Amino acid sequence: MDQNLPAPRAVTVVQLPDGTYTYADAAHLPVPQAAPQQIVQHIHQAPPDRTVQRIALGSGVGAGAVAAGVYFGPLLVGVLTAIAANLAILAFLVVVLAWGVVTVVKSVGGTDGQAASKSLAKSRRR
């Protein structure tokens, strides 16, 4: 064999759209594409707490109790949160006002004011 000849290529028989067969160079054939992969994604969310409804239905009470549990449960949580926020703000204001009064008494009252603030501080420690 002659070393100058090119290496033989892979030749494939293909069917043309008109139904006839022909030889085709495998290097020039289109690469078959794989079907796109379908991704199914499930998003889960925690179900709401239905303890009140289960207790109500289990004890034989009607839909009114279930509706009340559904409606007034979150409403009660909201009201209690608002009350707690108001109490926290009120406590903060009391602390600030008490600090302000003590500071003013110390600075304006002279020796009597300082003695009063010291006795107040001692009474708080007990």
Side-chain angles (χ1 to χ4, degrees), residues 25-85:
D25 188 5
H28 293 90
L29 289 177
V31 179
Q33 298 292 326
Q37 183 179 6
Q38 183 178 7
I39 298 173
V40 179
Q41 183 176 10
H42 298 282
I43 299 172
H44 296 280
Q45 183 178 4
D49 185 20
R50 293 194 176 95
T51 306
V52 174
Q53 292 92 318
R54 287 191 185 114
I55 292 171
L57 291 174
S59 62
V61 291
V66 175
V70 169
Y71 180 76
F72 290 113
L75 193 65
L76 180 64
V77 170
V79 167
L80 291 177
T81 304
I83 291 171

Side-chain angles (χ1 to χ4, degrees), residues 89-122:
I89 291 170
L90 185 63
F92 178 73
L93 285 175
V94 167
V95 167
V96 168
L97 289 174
W99 174 79
V101 167
V102 169
T103 304
V104 168
V105 167
K106 274 185 180 179
S107 64
V108 173
T111 56
D112 291 336
Q114 289 177 355
S117 67
K118 284 182 184 177
S119 66
L120 184 64
K122 286 180 185 177

